[in-house]
Amino acid sequence: MLVIISDLHLKDGTSGSSITPDAFSVFGERLRSMAYRASWRADGRYEPLRSIDLLLLGDAFDLIRSERWLVNATGEVETIRPWDHPQGNAYAEKITEITEAILEHNRAGFELLKRISRGETVQLPPATQAGQPDHNSAERIPLTVRIHYMVGNHDWFFHLPGPKYDAIRQRVVDTLGLANSAELFPYHPEESPFIMKLFRDYRVYARHGDQFDKMNYDADAGRDASTVGDAMTIDLLTRFPYEVRRQTGTRLPLELSEGLKELSNIRPAIVTPLWVNNLVNNYASDPEQSTFIKNIWDTAAEEFLQTGFVRSHDRWLAFDAVDGLEAALFFAKGLSFDAMSKLAGWANQKLWGADKISIAENALKESAYQDRTADYIIYGHTHFHEIAPLDTYFDNSVMHNQIYINSGTWHSYYDMTMQAPDKLKFVGMHVMTYLAFFKDDERGGKHFEAWSGSLSQ
């Protein structure tokens, strides 16, 4: 059985919430249940699985969303950014610092994951001679769970070459119980012969999917390079709540400062100004404080657009992502949060669900789809779980279905309510999606199952 999850976005606790350890506990239960069902064969026999492969399909760690890019360990302004020279000692030390903070902040969850890898969580009853589960037996068969890590656009640093990054990867391998070599956390599946063999065995082809997003993947520079998306996350979406906290000090209500940390978790993304306005209206002490906070946003937006890295991505005579950001942020500069909210609310009503961008059509261009070596094309990145039929074909009189599946996310979200959106109401929840694929006669001859659920906060 091959299980795929993605986009856990486990952070260091300085910028937005991560999933709780309960999610790993629930996942362990689900994994045990799936393994038991997969042990029933197509002829009706019960034959326990011997192992499971679990693939983390990118953005398991979120090294971008951290205030440690803004302030160093001594409390001084940090000058290192992801687009600096990655082979410098200070750069590698920054990646080590953030990685260690993520490992510590999520220690309880990682211990549960490591227990899964050691076979302590998924254990099955043995089979009787009649091919039935022997529930009366005291024996339980521990299943080895090999965990494989592929990188995405928020953990791409784990793809960087060199001894400094080997040491970082080794810490992650040891803490999570990964099957990866410390010398390689692949981005392209072709970089790992073992992962490619898994894909062939299960007729799957999977990648994170960020390469279809121009804001978060630079096609010219490749995956070992930073993007405008990194810059926006750090120098605008992370800097804004940090600066609000820093400049207002103890005058800012805790509910407001903590709420601003959740900017990247708002869905649909187009209504982010409504979230900010909601916080300001509910918790700002007076109109002057609201104006002060809006000025912080305008300053952060202007400084972000003027950074050398962002300017270097502004192509002459071409309307690109930087031009779009300039237009949006310039227009918003003259508006109050209330006016921005009204505009966002109107746009959301006209374009409801527009942030749920599908990248399914890219699956049609994959070689594994075109040459029929894969029946399932899997992407993550969008956080939008989706199943889309691609094609059907016959092979030796057996019909095959080719299907695109997005692996969704494990993440905290705040969704705006449909009832009275002008009232600026949001509901928070934790989302969890996982996919399972079967080969030969596993799962009674079925080929896959996909589950997506929500847990209230």
Side-chain angles (χ1 to χ4, degrees):
M1 182 171 72
L2 169 64
V3 178
I4 298 178
I5 59 177
S6 74
D7 296 271
L8 278 64
H9 287 276
L10 297 165
K11 297 184 280 292
D12 63 6
T14 63
S15 179
S17 57
S18 297
I19 57 173
T20 65
D22 285 346
F24 290 97
S25 181
V26 170
F27 179 64
E29 295 171 5
R30 298 291 185 269
L31 198 59
R32 188 185 310 115
S33 176
M34 285 192 295
Y36 177 75
R37 294 195 301 271
S39 297
W40 288 91
R41 308 301 170 146
D43 61 2
R45 289 178 303 106
Y46 171 78
E47 181 184 332
L49 297 180
R50 294 298 175 180
S51 64
I52 298 172
D53 286 282
L54 170 61
L55 175 62
L56 307 179
L57 191 62
D59 287 0
F61 283 34
D62 194 330
L63 287 87
I64 299 295
R65 291 176 183 154
S66 171
E67 288 186 1
R68 287 178 167 83
W69 291 110
L70 305 177
V71 184
N72 64 25
T74 62
E76 300 172 332
V77 174
E78 182 59 83
T79 59
I80 297 171
R81 289 293 187 271
W83 44 94
D84 293 333
H85 183 54
Q87 294 305 322
N89 289 333
Y91 190 107
E93 289 170 3
K94 176 57 63 175
I95 302 305
T96 300
E97 175 191 346
I98 297 175
T99 300
E100 290 292 344
I102 292 173
L103 292 174
E104 176 59 29
H105 186 67
N106 299 277
R107 180 170 51 180
F110 289 145
E111 178 56 35
L112 289 170
L113 192 60
K114 192 169 186 178
R115 289 183 61 190
I116 290 173
S117 74
R118 293 194 299 242
E120 298 175 13
T121 301
V122 183
Q123 299 184 353
L124 299 176
T128 66
Q129 290 185 347
Q132 296 295 306
D134 188 354
H135 293 293
N136 294 323
S137 172
E139 179 190 359
R140 286 297 179 266
I141 300 172
L143 268 65
T144 299
V145 180
R146 294 182 293 257
I147 306 177
H148 314 276
Y149 196 123
M150 290 178 63
V151 305
N153 58 296
H154 278 249
D155 51 6
W156 62 268
F157 310 95
F158 293 161
H159 189 256
L160 291 169
K164 301 183 187 71
Y165 297 100
D166 291 345
I168 296 171
R169 283 186 285 266
Q170 189 64 59
R171 281 284 290 132
V172 178
V173 167
D174 293 341
T175 303
L176 276 66
L178 300 181
N180 293 66
S181 161
E183 297 178 358
L184 177 69
F185 283 12
Y187 173 66
H188 299 290
E190 290 81 3
E191 295 175 300
S192 169
F194 189 89
I195 287 178
M196 284 302 295
K197 182 180 185 306
L198 275 178
F199 287 178
R200 287 191 297 270
D201 288 346
Y202 289 92
R203 299 192 59 78
V204 162
Y205 187 82
R207 63 169 83 246
H208 183 64
D210 54 307
Q211 70 181 79
F212 310 118
D213 177 356
K214 293 181 180 179
M215 278 285 291
N216 289 292
Y217 183 81
D218 187 329
D220 294 329
R223 188 57 282 172
D224 289 351
S226 194
T227 64
V228 173
D230 293 350
M232 185 172 181
T233 298
I234 293 169
D235 283 331
L236 184 58
L237 297 181
T238 303
R239 177 178 289 280
F240 169 58
Y242 168 77
E243 287 294 336
V244 170
R245 248 183 14 260
R246 186 183 69 83
Q247 295 186 39
T248 58
T250 58
R251 293 179 292 124
L252 192 69
L254 180 63
E255 295 87 351
L256 179 50
S257 61
E258 289 301 307
L260 289 176
K261 290 183 178 181
E262 302 296 332
L263 288 184
S264 60
N265 293 338
I266 306 306
R267 290 297 181 271
I270 196 172
V271 302
T272 300
L274 284 134
W275 172 263
V276 177
N277 195 37
N278 187 30
L279 293 171
V280 170
N281 285 342
N282 287 338
Y283 301 114
S285 58
D286 53 56
E288 288 186 3
Q289 191 174 64
S290 176
T291 301
F292 185 75
I293 292 172
K294 179 57 169 60
N295 289 337
I296 294 175
W297 168 269
D298 290 339
T299 299
E302 186 171 352
E303 291 179 354
F304 155 69
L305 288 172
Q306 294 308 314
T307 59
F309 178 73
V310 174
R311 300 305 331 148
S312 71
H313 283 72
D314 192 3
R315 308 299 194 253
W316 189 57
L317 293 181
F319 187 84
D320 52 26
V322 174
D323 295 315
L325 287 170
E326 283 181 319
L329 296 175
F330 176 80
F331 182 65
K333 185 176 181 179
L335 301 178
S336 66
F337 277 130
D338 187 58
M340 288 173 63
S341 293
K342 290 178 180 177
L343 178 63
W346 173 85
N348 181 58
Q349 288 181 337
K350 297 297 182 182
L351 303 170
W352 181 261
D355 72 311
K356 296 177 179 177
I357 299 172
S358 174
I359 55 176
E361 64 180 16
N362 295 284
L364 299 172
K365 303 172 186 175
E366 295 285 1
S367 297
Y369 162 77
Q370 294 177 349
D371 64 18
R372 310 257 196 230
T373 56
D375 290 334
Y376 306 98
I377 306 298
I378 315 301
Y379 300 150
H381 185 60
T382 67
H383 298 187
F384 174 44
H385 174 54
E386 178 185 12
I387 300 178
L390 300 174
D391 195 11
T392 62
Y393 67 95
F394 283 90
D395 182 18
N396 294 325
S397 300
V398 176
M399 190 176 77
H400 291 252
N401 298 319
Q402 288 186 291
I403 300 171
Y404 162 77
I405 309 177
N406 190 283
S407 50
T409 186
W410 288 21
H411 213 275
S412 300
Y413 277 146
Y414 293 87
D415 268 297
M416 192 177 71
T417 61
M418 296 178 66
Q419 176 67 33
D422 58 309
K423 300 297 184 182
L424 313 179
K425 297 180 180 180
F426 291 81
V427 173
M429 63 189 70
H430 300 287
V431 178
M432 176 188 286
T433 302
Y434 48 94
L435 316 176
F437 299 89
F438 313 102
K439 64 180 180 178
D440 303 327
D441 62 350
E442 295 174 350
R443 191 62 167 91
K446 304 297 183 184
H447 300 298
F448 81 95
E449 56 183 283
W451 299 96
S452 187
S454 301
L455 178 68
S456 65
Q457 291 191 351

